[in-house]
Every structure is written in C-alpha cells, then in structure tokens.
Amino acid sequence: MAGLIARELPHERYAPGRLDRLLQRLATAERNAAEHRFDAALAVGQETFHELSDLRVDVEQRELARCLAQKEAVEALVQVEALAEENRRRPVVEADGTLLAGYSLDVAHWSGGEYDQVRQDTAAALTRARDPHTGTDELLALRDEEAPALERSLGETVERAGMRQLTSQLRVNLADVVAQTLAEVAYYDLVEEESHYAGDDERKDFHAVLRHEATGNEIRVRIAQAHPDSDQCVIHVETTDHDVTAEAELRDRADAVYQALRREGTPIGLDPSRPVEETGRPSPRPGRRRQDEEAGTTT
C-alpha cells in the first residue's frame, strides 16, 4: 500500500509529509517483529495499514476533483477561444436585421487591439488550466470566474467594434451632408483628393476640404466622435478666407447645416441659434502665405 501511494499518487500535493510519517511507523513495526514482539508489531502494522488506506482514498478523491475541475476549466476556455475565432469576422447587419451583402466586420481591426488582448488572455488562461501543477481552487476560479469574464469581454469587444464601424460610416455620411449643404448655400465644392480619414485610418476623425472656385476660400470640415466609443459626433467647421466673412453669414451656414441634418433624420443636440464657436487661427497649410493664415476665422 505504501509503495502504491508513493509510485502512483500525488500525495505530497495533498498530504505533505504524511506518507513519510507512516513509513516510520512501518519501520517501528518491523523492528518489533525482529525483536519477536509480534503483538506490538501486529497492532502498529494494522493501524498503519488503515491510515495508509485513508491516505490513498483521500489523495485519490482530491486528485479526481482536481482533474474534473481541470477538464471543465479547459472546456470553458476552449469554448471562449472558439467563440473568439468565430467572431473574428462578423456579417454586417442593417437596421432592419437583414445582412448587408458583401460587407463584414473585422473585429480584430475595429477593436484596436482589444480583440487580440482577449485572445492572449484566453491563451494564457488555457496554459494555466492545462498545467498539471495548477491547483483545484485556481482551476475552479478559471472555470467559474475567468472564463465567463473573458466571454463577456469578448462580447463587449465585438459590440464596440461594430459601433466603431458604424460611427466611422456615420462620420462620412455627416461630412457628405455638410459638403452638399455648403455647396448649395455658399457655392463651395468638395475637394475629394483632400478628403480623408486622419492618418488614412477609418477609425479616426474624417476630414473634408471644400473650396470656393472664385475666391479660393476654403472650408475644412472635421467630423469627430464626441468621446471614445460614443455614437455621437461633433462637427467642426473651419473657414479659411482671403477676405473676412461676415459673422451673420457664418451663422447662416451653421443653421443651414443644422437644418440639413435634421431633414436627414440625424438627432441633433445643439441649439441652432447658438452653435459652439471656437475663435482663432486655423492650422497653417503648406504653401499658403502668412497674411492668408492671419485672415482666417474658425467656427
């Protein structure tokens, strides 16, 4: 019995030092037998055998519980890993729930590293779950706490990625409405080659440039999120003039943009009679003379 426990069972993990103490008692029983004290040897031997049996059962049960917890922890984390792989690219769904043919959501791209972090955290948790030295309590925590937390984090990451893709398109749509409105009310034309996402990254602000053919005046439109992961946008309109545009004309333009957005069904949180004004010089552009820069008006 002592040899079986020593060879086959992880007794030191669950009962450190206990087998050594029982082996010492067996040695005592052997000395008693060698000295012909057979009654004492038998009593010590029987008692030691019973304790060895208890030790074997205790270790086997605790190891069985650890193996079961390990199996369940690995299964839970593998499920998260599979969900992550399935959700790496998702179909794009329109407002009415129908699939938008030809388009997909690249969660890894739109999450900005969050998806990759979930994958890394899941892989690290799986490594711990598969490690034979990981204890039962830690395995239960992996199964009951970390795996569900990782799954929730994955779901939130996918949701945020979808929102970011939608708001990216929203920024383009808003810029288009602003450009069309300013073309109608102030005769500015969109300069397509100068309209782009910041850093050519569609996750960032969208910039559009409009130019008046006759005067050379420019309007630079920047559509930004109100704050990270918001479904609301802020429209910045910067007018750079060779001459000075009347304040009333600037406000008329702002009101025209406001009304156009309202017609498009865009929720507006700004009083059109009181647009937020940021007075100052616009950012210098390469090749533009300093006197032109100093004549700029920003709203």
Side-chain angles (χ1 to χ4, degrees):
M1 180 69 73
L4 173 67
I5 294 172
R7 290 190 308 271
E8 304 294 338
L9 300 179
H11 58 91
E12 284 299 320
R13 167 181 286 174
Y14 302 112
R18 187 173 171 186
L19 180 62
D20 289 338
R21 291 192 294 272
L22 292 175
L23 288 173
Q24 291 174 5
R25 295 184 64 181
L26 282 179
T28 298
E30 289 173 352
R31 286 196 299 271
N32 288 337
E35 295 171 0
H36 304 289
R37 298 168 58 194
F38 300 116
D39 290 343
L42 181 60
V44 173
Q46 288 178 332
E47 183 179 357
T48 303
F49 178 78
H50 290 312
E51 292 194 26
L52 285 168
S53 297
D54 291 342
L55 174 61
R56 175 185 175 182
V57 171
D58 181 46
V59 171
E60 285 179 340
Q61 288 180 341
R62 295 174 71 175
E63 178 63 6
L64 179 62
R66 192 199 72 82
C67 290
L68 179 60
Q70 182 180 48
K71 175 178 177 293
E72 293 175 345
V74 169
E75 288 177 349
L77 290 165
V78 166
Q79 182 177 357
V80 176
E81 191 175 55
L83 283 172
E85 185 59 33
E86 291 173 7
N87 285 276
R88 184 181 185 89
R89 297 194 74 92
R90 290 179 56 86
V92 176
V93 180
E94 296 190 83
D96 60 0
T98 60
L99 295 180
L100 190 59
Y103 292 90
S104 64
L105 170 65
D106 185 344
V107 175
H109 171 74
W110 286 100
S111 68
E114 295 173 10
Y115 172 84
D116 292 333
Q117 187 62 55
V118 172
R119 293 295 301 266
Q120 292 170 14
D121 292 344
T122 303
L126 261 174
T127 298
R128 287 160 51 206
R130 288 169 172 155
D131 187 343
H133 297 97
T134 302
T136 305
D137 290 343
E138 186 175 356
L139 290 167
L140 291 174
L142 285 167
R143 181 196 69 185
D144 298 334
E145 298 173 16
E146 292 197 39
L150 286 166
E151 187 171 347
R152 286 193 301 272
S153 180
L154 174 63
E156 292 166 358
T157 296
V158 172
E159 184 177 352
R160 280 194 296 271
M163 177 62 71
R164 289 169 184 172
Q165 187 185 50
L166 287 173
T167 55
S168 174
Q169 183 60 49
L170 175 61
R171 291 194 288 278
V172 177
N173 295 345
L174 290 174
D176 185 56
V177 172
V178 174
Q180 290 183 22
T181 303
L182 293 175
E184 293 172 1
V185 302
Y187 308 105
Y188 279 76
D189 296 320
L190 179 67
V191 184
E192 293 188 6
E193 61 270 18
E194 296 188 37
S195 301
H196 59 277
Y197 286 100
D200 292 326
D201 188 340
E202 55 199 350
R203 295 169 296 186
K204 297 182 179 180
D205 298 351
F206 187 80
H207 296 256
V209 177
L210 298 96
R211 188 174 295 134
H212 196 287
E213 183 176 358
T215 65
N217 292 346
E218 286 186 353
I219 297 177
R220 305 179 70 82
V221 179
R222 177 169 66 91
I223 313 294
Q225 283 182 286
H227 53 80
D229 294 324
S230 170
D231 61 352
Q232 298 180 344
C233 295
V234 179
I235 301 173
H236 299 266
V237 180
E238 179 184 272
T239 303
T240 306
D241 297 339
H242 289 275
D243 47 15
V244 178
T245 303
E247 182 72 18
E249 184 176 344
L250 293 175
R251 291 193 175 276
D252 286 345
R253 293 178 189 175
D255 184 62
V257 170
Y258 175 88
Q259 297 301 336
L261 292 171
R262 287 289 300 270
R263 287 194 298 272
E264 292 289 325
T266 304
I268 305 295
L270 179 67
D271 180 354
S273 65
R274 296 183 178 273
V276 177
E277 183 176 291
E278 301 170 323
T279 304
R281 296 178 183 175
S283 303
R285 298 191 58 216
R288 172 154 291 183
R289 293 179 298 172
R290 182 172 179 79
Q291 56 264 39
D292 292 336
E293 296 167 11
E294 294 177 345
T297 301
T298 303
T299 59

